[in-house]
Amino acid sequence: MSLITSHPRKKNDFYPTPELAVIPLLPHLPERATFHEPCAGAADLVNRLESHGVRCVAQTDISPRASTVVRASANDLTSCKGDMFITNPPYLWKHLSVIMPHLYTMAPTWLLLPAAMMHNQRMSGHMKRCIRIVSVGRVQWFKGSGAGTLDYAWYLFDARRSGPAEFYGRNGAV
């Protein structure tokens, strides 16, 4: 985050997920789907999704910031407790490059990431397992700061599927 804002980078890349980043994901989640949030932090993403009827069955984080979140590293998980993982993971490559494939080899995994990551060379192997991209646009990560300077998207990865990813723009069109 420190490369795109004047705010210092937060420990463990802890940035609560804003409501406006969650709304575009909702039409892409199966009815009655359950999810496991492996980087839950203070449970902001969990609370936002549950307020729209999506049920979280497990919340874990290396540094829990809510009583509902169990201390566990995403890298140490051996299974997904729900139908899928949904998370706003740490963006530092040294962490993301390990967490991302670990999760999507266990279950379909939705990750909120900078939209431009799909064009990054180091993502090329992972993009073969990306089956859907849902545009979010710019996100206000810090209250009172206005929208950031980067666009974001939800990426759905699944190790059991390959092929071109479907892209959904901000108006929901493919």
Side-chain angles (χ1 to χ4, degrees):
M1 219 37 97
S2 61
L3 296 176
I4 58 170
T5 180
S6 60
H7 295 275
R9 182 172 224 115
K10 292 186 176 186
K11 184 180 179 185
N12 297 325
D13 270 2
F14 171 68
Y15 298 94
T17 308
E19 176 76 16
L20 290 177
V22 172
I23 301 300
L25 176 62
L26 296 172
H28 301 274
L29 300 177
E31 196 173 318
R32 291 188 280 286
T34 61
F35 74 100
H36 181 158
E37 214 304 23
C39 304
D44 296 277
L45 177 58
V46 169
N47 294 335
R48 295 187 193 307
L49 285 167
E50 286 190 330
S51 75
H52 292 280
V54 185
R55 191 165 68 91
C56 181
V57 294
Q59 305 173 52
T60 55
D61 196 285
I62 59 169
S63 184
R65 292 172 172 85
S67 61
T68 56
V69 180
V70 174
R71 183 177 307 278
S73 169
N75 296 328
D76 294 335
L77 296 175
T78 58
S79 67
C80 178
K81 306 296 184 202
D83 299 319
M84 66 191 75
F85 290 108
I86 303 176
T87 193
N88 174 9
Y91 296 161
L92 279 176
W93 188 248
K94 69 179 182 178
H95 301 302
L96 182 61
S97 65
V98 176
I99 291 171
M100 184 172 35
H102 180 68
L103 297 177
Y104 73 66
T105 57
M106 285 187 277
T109 300
W110 283 102
L111 301 175
L112 179 62
L113 300 170
M117 285 190 86
M118 70 179 92
H119 304 292
N120 191 309
Q121 184 64 31
R122 63 186 175 191
M123 283 291 287
S124 62
H126 301 291
M127 292 307 295
K128 293 174 184 173
R129 298 298 178 213
C130 183
I131 58 176
R132 188 172 293 182
I133 301 167
V134 178
S135 181
V136 170
R138 295 194 174 166
V139 174
Q140 180 182 9
W141 295 104
F142 304 95
K143 289 184 182 180
S145 66
T149 58
L150 292 180
D151 292 309
Y152 288 81
W154 285 100
Y155 294 75
L156 176 58
F157 294 94
D158 190 339
R160 292 162 291 282
R161 296 183 53 197
S162 65
E166 294 177 339
F167 179 81
Y168 292 82
R170 291 186 67 195
N171 64 2
V174 176

